[in-house]
Amino acid sequence: MLVIIIAISLSMDAFSLALAYGTLNLNKKDIYKLSLTVGVYHFIMPLLGLFLGSIILKYINNPNIIVFIILFIIGLQMIYETFKEEDIKNIVCFKQMLLFGLAVSVDSFSVGIGLNVISKNYLYCSTIFSFFSLTFTYLGLILGKKINNIIGKTSTIIGGLILIIIAFMYLI
């Protein structure tokens, strides 16, 4: 039960960021790919945290700075793309999906550092984390898309601003 509670907690930031990102009115293929990307990250990151965490934390004092930079750039790009004449869906490229997945899974890395305290069945934990984050990301993207269909481009600007605000929250 503890693993499921942690999985839900880890998935909440993926949901909130997916909600903002969903305002880009992504097509179904991109929604599936982005959800799968986040799910894969949430499978790998706890395992990386378990095996590499103590080594990496020696060199990076505050991993939240990385999350801040990624979310801030994605938020600015969303707002910028809203004012361009081009189709906004073009900004959801493979590179952006990887950055988004990384941003929402850094906390899974941190959980991985203490994973051996939670459970000795590491693959089970990572699978549960992956399932919940994939599901929450998918639901956030769908809900964000519905919001975009109701209020249009304004929702993309709001989504970009939300990402920037969340980025600053990582610095606190």
Side-chain angles (χ1 to χ4, degrees), residues 77-144:
Q77 186 174 9
M78 282 176 66
I79 293 168
Y80 172 74
E81 293 291 330
T82 302
F83 295 104
K84 288 177 65 178
E85 298 282 328
E86 299 174 21
D87 188 8
I88 197 161
K89 294 173 194 149
N90 291 334
I91 73 163
V92 186
C93 62
F94 182 68
K95 178 180 161 186
Q96 275 239 281
M97 287 186 187
L98 290 178
L99 286 174
F100 182 87
L102 177 64
V104 300
S105 66
V106 169
D107 54 351
S108 288
F109 179 84
S110 301
V111 168
I113 294 170
L115 192 59
N116 58 356
V117 174
I118 299 166
S119 172
K120 299 297 181 209
N121 193 344
Y122 311 131
L123 292 179
Y124 168 76
C125 291
S126 286
T127 301
I128 295 298
F129 298 162
S130 175
F131 171 76
F132 275 90
S133 65
L134 183 150
T135 303
F136 277 55
T137 301
Y138 177 79
L139 294 174
L141 291 169
I142 294 296
L143 187 56

Side-chain angles (χ1 to χ4, degrees), residues 48-60 109 113:
L48 281 176
L50 178 67
F51 298 114
L52 302 175
S54 59
I55 297 168
I56 292 174
L57 287 178
K58 288 180 185 175
Y59 299 104
I60 300 176
F109 179 84
I113 294 170

Side-chain angles (χ1 to χ4, degrees), residues 13 17 41 45 53 55-75 96 98-107 109-110 163-164 166-172:
D13 66 333
L17 295 175
Y41 266 110
M45 293 300 275
I55 297 168
I56 292 174
L57 287 178
K58 288 180 185 175
Y59 299 104
I60 300 176
N61 293 336
N62 187 0
N64 288 344
I65 291 174
I66 297 168
V67 176
F68 164 78
I69 292 168
I70 293 169
L71 293 180
F72 188 80
I73 290 171
I74 291 173
Q96 275 239 281
L98 290 178
L99 286 174
F100 182 87
L102 177 64
V104 300
S105 66
V106 169
D107 54 351
F109 179 84
S110 301
L163 288 178
I164 291 170
I166 292 171
F168 278 104
M169 290 173 61
Y170 272 92
L171 291 180
I172 298 173

